Amino acid sequence: MIAFDLKCSGGHIFEGWFGSSAAYETQREGQLISCPFCGDADVAKAVMAPNIGTKGNRQSVVPAPAPVDGPPPEVVKAAMAALAGAQAKLLEKSEWVGVAFADKARAMHLGETPAAPIHGQATLDEARALADEGVPVAPLPLPVIPPERRN
């Protein structure tokens, strides 16, 4: 696995983990990566500081990290695990429709097909258009791996 710092066009920086650089490129080109803060799919790698070891004959003095206000990491980790569990439980009763999400949601809203819980992928423009049309949609708080891409 490889971790990249990513940045959306809105300026939000977040971390993403990928199997390889090629996996990142494939997901980015397929607009499968979106900003967890604003949902923007226009994502690129952010500038990262490489982790380069010091020469063997030199000692490195690394300053202690500055204290950060907020909950301790274990509390954040537990909250994220609870959120992931709640989302997974809700999605058990929902059908994955992939990139057909906008069309299916619109058809249900117009009464062309029976209403049912669905989840899938939509671009930011598609989501905005659905909201403008009064179709009830909401972004998921955590990314979802499409069923066909799961190991």
Side-chain angles (χ1 to χ4, degrees), residues 101 105-106 108-110 115-116 118 127 129-139:
F101 177 80
R106 187 175 286 110
M108 287 182 209
H109 180 71
L110 297 173
I118 60 170
L130 288 170
D132 290 345
E133 295 170 30
V135 179
V137 295

Side-chain angles (χ1 to χ4, degrees), residues 54-88:
T54 60
K55 288 179 90 175
N57 62 352
R58 294 186 186 166
Q59 290 185 345
S60 173
V61 178
V62 178
V68 177
D69 290 337
E74 56 273 3
V75 171
V76 174
K77 187 175 180 180
M80 292 297 289
L83 180 60
Q87 178 174 298

Side-chain angles (χ1 to χ4, degrees), residues 112-134:
E112 297 169 357
T113 60
I118 60 170
H119 64 284
Q121 298 170 307
T123 66
L124 190 55
D125 289 338
E126 288 173 330
R128 284 185 178 143
L130 288 170
D132 290 345
E133 295 170 30

Side-chain angles (χ1 to χ4, degrees), residues 39-104:
D40 185 8
D42 185 11
V43 173
K45 289 181 189 176
V47 177
M48 295 175 54
N51 186 8
I52 300 173
T54 60
K55 288 179 90 175
N57 62 352
R58 294 186 186 166
Q59 290 185 345
S60 173
V61 178
V62 178
V68 177
D69 290 337
E74 56 273 3
V75 171
V76 174
K77 187 175 180 180
M80 292 297 289
L83 180 60
Q87 178 174 298
K89 187 174 181 177
L90 287 172
L91 293 181
E92 287 175 1
K93 300 173 185 171
S94 178
E95 177 189 0
W96 171 260
V97 295
V99 295
F101 177 80
D103 293 334
K104 291 196 180 238

